[in-house]
Amino acid sequence: MGTPLESRERQVVEVLERLYEEYPEPDISLEFSNRLELLVAVVLSAQCTDERVNEVTEELFEKYRTAADYAEADEEELAEDIYGITYHNSKAGYLKSAGEAIVEEHDGEVPDTMSALTELSGVGRKTANVVLQHGHEVVEGIVVDTHVQRLSRRLGLTEETAPEKMERDLMEIVPEDDWKEYTHLLISHGRETCTARNPDCEDCVLEDVCPSSRLDSEVDLADGSEW
């Protein structure tokens, strides 16, 4: 049986309040100067760190400036240009195909709808949400990356595991005005404190409201119960 909706709504309000105080200016860490660069960066960021993506795109964006540049690129050369990115060969194919579609179907401009974006190669709902939010100022949902998945479950905000189901679940309890920032707040906290392997519960601003706190687990274990 899941946690009641009202309880999760109260929990997310408390979480947001504390994280806004801890991270007053949450924002995307990928570096870009236009919508096409944003799209490319987000496609490359799948299962790869933003830091590594920023290193690679610094030169990539000098060489490939338009959708046509990606469409006309030699795929092997493009793969070499993004070498060091996880699955660089596959992603080179995605970028070339997406470039072709943008040129042929969208007059060379990155589309501004969820349906059009998700028709592009290498673009799922998460990527489309990022492009809409940061490229077009359109907020249709919540970007669910690995940090959002991990922290949302740890905090008892959702029991879903599939990203799209989790997004729908979170959209029911996170105030719509906070959908965009919710992702960046959890990413910041996931990187700084609530890491995947070794969360620093002792230095966490959410420790006393987190059902997954390891400090609570130590007390439970001392009482002879399981964590």
Side-chain angles (χ1 to χ4, degrees), residues 150 154 189-203 214:
R150 182 176 74 253
R154 283 181 177 174
H189 196 59
R191 288 173 175 165
E192 294 291 328
T193 305
C194 194
T195 58
R197 294 184 180 180
N198 190 30
D200 187 2
C201 296
E202 290 187 358
D203 193 36
R214 290 188 172 185

Side-chain angles (χ1 to χ4, degrees), residues 73-213:
D74 176 84
E75 193 170 322
E76 290 186 5
E77 182 179 350
L78 180 53
E80 186 65 29
D81 289 333
I82 61 172
Y83 184 80
I85 295 291
T86 313
Y87 305 121
H88 63 282
N89 288 318
S90 297
K91 290 177 181 178
Y94 295 155
L95 294 181
K96 180 175 175 63
S97 177
E100 292 169 347
I102 291 172
V103 169
E104 295 169 6
E105 301 170 22
H106 304 286
D107 298 321
E109 299 295 328
V110 175
D112 61 358
T113 66
M114 178 66 70
S115 58
L117 283 167
T118 52
E119 287 178 356
L120 300 176
S121 293
V123 179
R125 184 172 173 89
K126 181 186 79 171
T127 296
N129 263 324
V130 176
V131 174
L132 287 174
Q133 291 180 12
H134 295 276
H136 296 284
E137 297 301 319
V138 174
V139 180
E140 288 192 10
I142 295 173
V143 177
V144 178
D145 80 333
T146 55
H147 294 287
V148 173
Q149 291 180 55
R150 182 176 74 253
L151 270 67
S152 295
R153 286 177 56 82
R154 283 181 177 174
L155 290 165
L157 299 175
T158 181
E159 294 181 357
E160 298 291 350
T161 55
E164 291 198 11
K165 289 183 178 179
M166 183 177 288
E167 181 187 6
R168 289 194 295 270
D169 202 25
L170 291 172
M171 286 167 66
E172 289 187 1
I173 62 170
V174 178
E176 188 170 352
D177 288 347
D178 297 304
W179 284 359
K180 181 178 179 180
E181 286 76 14
Y182 177 83
T183 297
H184 301 303
L185 289 169
L186 266 64
I187 289 175
S188 296
H189 196 59
R191 288 173 175 165
E192 294 291 328
T193 305
C194 194
T195 58
R197 294 184 180 180
N198 190 30
D200 187 2
C201 296
E202 290 187 358
D203 193 36
C204 178
V205 296
L206 302 174
E207 188 279 324
D208 62 312
V209 297
C210 179
S212 303
S213 170

